[in-house]
Amino acid sequence: MTIKVAVAGASGYAGGEILRLILGHPSYLSGDLEIGALTAGSSAGTPVADLMPHLPQLADRIIEDTTVEVLSGHDVVFLALPHGHSAAIGKALEDTVVIDCAADFRLQEAEEWEHYYGSAHQGTWPYGIPEMPGHREQLQGARRIAVPGCFPTGATLAALPAVAGGLIVPDLAIVSITGVSGAGKKASVGLLGSEVMGNLKAYNTAGRHRHTPEVIQNLSEVTDEEVTVSFTPVLAPLPRGILTTITAPLKEGVTQDAAYETYRAFYAEETFVHLLPAGQQPQTQNVLGSNMCHVQVEVDERAGVLLLTSAIDNLTKGTGGAAVQCMNLALGIDEAAGLPQAAVAP
């Protein structure tokens, strides 16, 4: 039976990345997976060739309106829509695997959702970081999946072994430097080239960023200690990529060798997390276009902290790649199918 896939929000960066990966998916190439409806809002009626010329296989397709009627009848629907738009559509698609790339179903606590998003909490779906303990099992065969935020992906994968292994007091100071595509494709003065080029800017600081509770929620799953997070995102003149650095108080007796071994053992079986050799730092250029997260761990003895660093491509491992990885698990396909480990270089 051919699997039929639709992408809502197909003309945005996340939707385009999902399509790029599916076009190289072995199931698509074998004819076992078919790309169905491609939908959007304001760009409905526009040829894909005009919006996404980097996808020539779909050049003759036309973007349709995002409606339940158009999306019904597909086996899988990816929702690459703005926050707050997924809930009604996702709940209406009863006989479909729905993979939501927005935040609508990520948070478990209604109070946290309402504080950060200012609307009613719609519920919680299985959370799409397979590398988190127990989550791969939740995603296998799931009919509803919440794809994680890009910042929480980089921060969670950087910090998870340290928190789970008791290497640190879980009081984390996180700084993530991100490319502009993380803000989406919408027009914005703050994202104009003349505003971004040659400039660095922190934003949504001092606990205001909506991804803060998501990171706390993720790390709280692996410890009984209270997790606190101070998160500072920084906008950089890059199209893609997130570099995350985390510092946290080191627990007594933790050595560099012990910390590195904890990370090596934690990620030994993970295809898409690569612990770099000692002395080598993650760089965004080394994950460009890949579904990889590169990680490093270092003990700063004089400061008494553990330094954790990660690099991801925010559109691949941070969004579109995570969505396809989750689709593979939901459908019982090889988890790594269609997902590159090799980056584009230079």
Side-chain angles (χ1 to χ4, degrees):
M1 183 182 102
T2 302
I3 300 164
K4 194 172 182 180
V5 171
V7 179
S11 61
Y13 290 137
E17 185 72 354
I18 290 168
L19 289 169
R20 179 182 77 88
L21 295 169
I22 288 178
L23 287 168
H25 196 290
S27 294
Y28 175 80
L29 297 174
S30 69
D32 294 324
L33 186 151
E34 172 188 342
I35 297 175
L38 306 179
T39 80
S42 60
S43 59
T46 308
V48 170
D50 293 351
L51 297 168
M52 295 179 284
H54 67 294
L55 303 177
Q57 303 98 312
L58 302 173
D60 61 345
R61 302 287 296 276
I62 303 294
I63 299 294
E64 301 179 69
D65 286 317
T66 299
T67 66
V68 172
E69 291 72 25
V70 170
L71 296 172
S72 294
H74 293 82
D75 300 294
V76 179
V77 172
F78 294 96
L79 299 178
L81 303 172
H83 303 318
H85 291 72
S86 301
I89 294 174
K91 290 179 178 180
L93 297 171
E94 296 179 358
D95 299 321
T96 303
V97 174
V98 180
I99 300 175
D100 183 23
C101 295
D104 293 36
F105 299 99
R106 293 174 189 161
L107 295 182
Q108 297 169 8
E109 298 294 332
E111 184 178 349
E112 289 289 82
W113 169 269
E114 291 161 8
H115 173 78
Y116 281 93
Y117 292 91
S119 60
H121 187 236
Q122 297 296 318
T124 307
W125 290 356
Y127 185 79
I129 297 185
E131 294 85 3
M132 290 177 62
H135 282 247
R136 181 168 282 111
E137 293 74 17
Q138 294 174 20
L139 296 167
Q140 290 169 341
R143 305 292 293 176
R144 297 286 186 272
I145 294 172
V147 175
C150 52
F151 284 129
T153 296
T156 298
L157 293 176
L160 200 62
V163 176
L167 304 180
I168 58 173
V169 177
D171 178 15
L172 293 83
I174 303 174
V175 177
S176 292
I177 302 169
T178 182
V180 295
S181 61
K185 214 171 185 177
K186 63 184 180 296
S188 170
V189 171
L191 299 177
L192 291 172
S194 56
E195 300 291 330
V196 174
M197 289 188 296
N199 188 35
L200 293 170
K201 179 180 71 174
Y203 65 100
N204 288 343
T205 53
R208 288 190 292 272
H209 197 282
R210 291 171 167 180
H211 286 172
T212 303
E214 197 176 329
V215 177
I216 294 172
Q217 176 178 286
N218 294 350
L219 298 179
S220 295
E221 288 189 13
V222 296
T223 181
D224 293 328
E225 298 182 68
E226 181 182 4
V227 176
T228 57
V229 165
S230 174
F231 175 49
T232 304
V234 177
L235 186 66
L238 307 167
R240 292 171 174 249
I242 295 177
L243 180 72
T244 295
T245 64
I246 304 175
T247 55
L250 194 66
K251 287 194 174 177
E252 188 175 351
V254 176
T255 65
Q256 175 63 42
D257 288 346
Y260 194 88
E261 176 57 26
T262 297
Y263 271 69
R264 188 203 63 76
F266 195 95
Y267 287 131
E269 304 299 322
E270 292 297 343
T271 301
F272 296 118
V273 182
H274 176 48
L275 176 62
L276 296 175
Q280 189 177 119
Q281 278 293 326
Q283 301 180 56
T284 56
Q285 67 176 355
N286 293 333
V287 294
L288 185 66
S290 81
N291 200 52
M292 296 300 297
C293 177
H294 287 189
V295 175
Q296 187 55 275
V297 53
E298 295 178 283
V299 169
D300 184 339
E301 292 182 356
R302 298 192 71 175
V305 300
L306 194 65
L307 172 63
L308 312 167
T309 318
S310 71
I312 62 169
D313 184 323
N314 59 292
L315 291 180
T316 315
K317 184 58 173 167
T319 310
V324 173
Q325 189 175 351
C326 289
M327 178 194 75
N328 290 341
L329 285 165
L331 298 179
I333 299 171
D334 175 13
E335 183 180 335
L339 297 170
Q341 290 179 270
V344 177

